Amino acid sequence: MGTEIFDLVAPFYMFNLTEQANVYILAPEKKPIALAHGFFTMPHYTFREFDSLALPADIVVIPNLSAVPKDRQDPAIVQWIRDHYKDSTKLLSICAGSFTAAATGLYDQQPMTTHATDMKKNRELFPSPAWVTGTTYTRAGNLYSTAGVSNAADGSLAVIRDVFGEGTMKKVMEDIRYPHDSLVTRHESRVVGTGNRRDILANVFFKKNPDVAVLLQDGIDEFRLSAVLDAYHRMFPSTLHTYSMRAEGVTGRFGMRILPTNDLSSIAGTDEIHVLSPATLTAAEKEVISGITVVSYDPQSDRYIFDIALDRIRTKYGNRMHTVVKRLLDYN
């Protein structure tokens, strides 16, 4: 089982920020979940374990299940969502989680959105929802959905507002440095087109793409980590790995278990390493990464993390790659 990084991590982080929610990651089996081109995390519970606790699922977030074919959604996951949807349950479909959410039938005849690039396929496979574009998220009663991956933040904010109130939403917006004064709904739904794909191929085959690393540190901000990884993944580097001094990984700010794809001792030859908390680098980490270009992030910056990452991509790799990454993230 796998998923997109920001799809899962942004809601996990933001609902934890409310300090009014118990947030759990569930999966069919108790084994590491691969977050695409980023890291592994462990689910808190399997479906069976969670059900044995007899806890209500008040809010269910459905990320993109990247390891599942779009036309053959996992019936166990689809059925679990159906079984746990009650009149008071709020469902939030994130980006291509729309395929799983639509497969439940719960969104039939209800407005629903997804990444513009997936819209045609969604309509073919699931014609019953009322598919819409031009919005960061939709709401129909207790059913929510978001446009592309970056809009996981907007959809999560909408649910937080409706469940916990405007004040809590504002608090979360401030913590993540949301780049708008109020929750944005207007959205430019842009398909990743032929020209964008040509730019991707030109970058991959005719330029020297970097080997990119991201250092995992205890207490790391899960939201910022996921945004950096998802932005750089869409730049199509030669490699993109997370590294840690410890094979068992680290624990994020809100307790997410984050398992690296590589041990830090194997980082030789990497072009650049991104460090989200440079002030907490240990002497051992500094020694290992000496000689590698370090890309540092200021934890106190008041800028939205996607804007920081995208500005650097434009400066270093050009306007075309900047446009490609923004469109793949569905960020505007």
Side-chain angles (χ1 to χ4, degrees), residues 7-188:
D7 281 22
L8 175 69
V9 179
F12 173 87
Y13 182 93
M14 293 168 70
F15 283 107
N16 269 299
L17 267 175
T18 69
E19 299 181 323
Q20 300 174 62
N22 297 312
V23 187
Y24 305 112
I25 298 171
L26 307 186
E29 301 175 83
K30 200 65 166 286
K31 62 182 184 181
I33 299 169
L35 279 77
H37 301 278
F39 55 87
F40 298 87
T41 191
M42 289 295 295
H44 295 98
Y45 299 109
T46 65
F47 291 154
R48 185 186 296 274
E49 288 171 339
F50 182 81
D51 290 346
S52 72
L53 300 174
L55 294 172
D58 299 307
I59 302 168
V60 178
V61 177
I62 308 168
N64 173 27
L65 301 181
S66 55
V68 179
K70 293 177 173 60
D71 58 344
R72 295 194 301 277
Q73 292 300 308
D74 188 326
I77 295 175
V78 170
Q79 191 60 51
W80 188 91
I81 296 168
R82 284 183 184 141
D83 291 344
H84 290 77
Y85 182 72
K86 313 298 180 188
D87 289 343
S88 60
T89 309
K90 295 191 183 298
L91 294 187
L92 173 59
S93 166
I94 305 290
C95 189
S98 56
F99 290 99
T100 304
T104 68
L106 296 170
Y107 286 80
D108 288 359
Q109 284 74 58
Q110 302 300 325
M112 192 175 192
T113 193
T114 190
H115 195 299
T117 306
D118 288 324
M119 189 63 73
K120 181 180 178 182
K121 190 67 173 178
N122 269 282
R123 285 180 169 140
E124 291 172 354
L125 293 174
F126 305 104
S128 295
W131 295 101
V132 298
T133 58
T135 185
T136 56
Y137 72 92
T138 64
R139 180 193 174 191
N142 288 334
L143 301 174
Y144 299 74
S145 66
T146 79
V149 57
S150 67
N151 302 120
D154 308 282
S156 297
L157 287 170
V159 176
I160 288 168
R161 176 198 60 203
D162 296 342
V163 175
F164 304 112
E166 187 84 14
T168 300
M169 182 189 76
K170 290 287 189 182
K171 171 193 166 188
V172 174
M173 289 171 65
E174 182 178 350
D175 184 281
I176 67 171
R177 277 58 166 185
Y178 187 67
H180 308 283
D181 293 333
S182 58
L183 180 55
V184 170
T185 56
R186 185 179 177 277
H187 185 63
E188 296 178 11

Side-chain angles (χ1 to χ4, degrees), residues 225-241:
L225 171 66
S226 64
V228 168
L229 284 167
D230 257 338
Y232 275 85
H233 157 48
R234 284 161 173 80
M235 195 197 70
F236 298 93
S238 293
T239 60
L240 176 61
H241 291 297

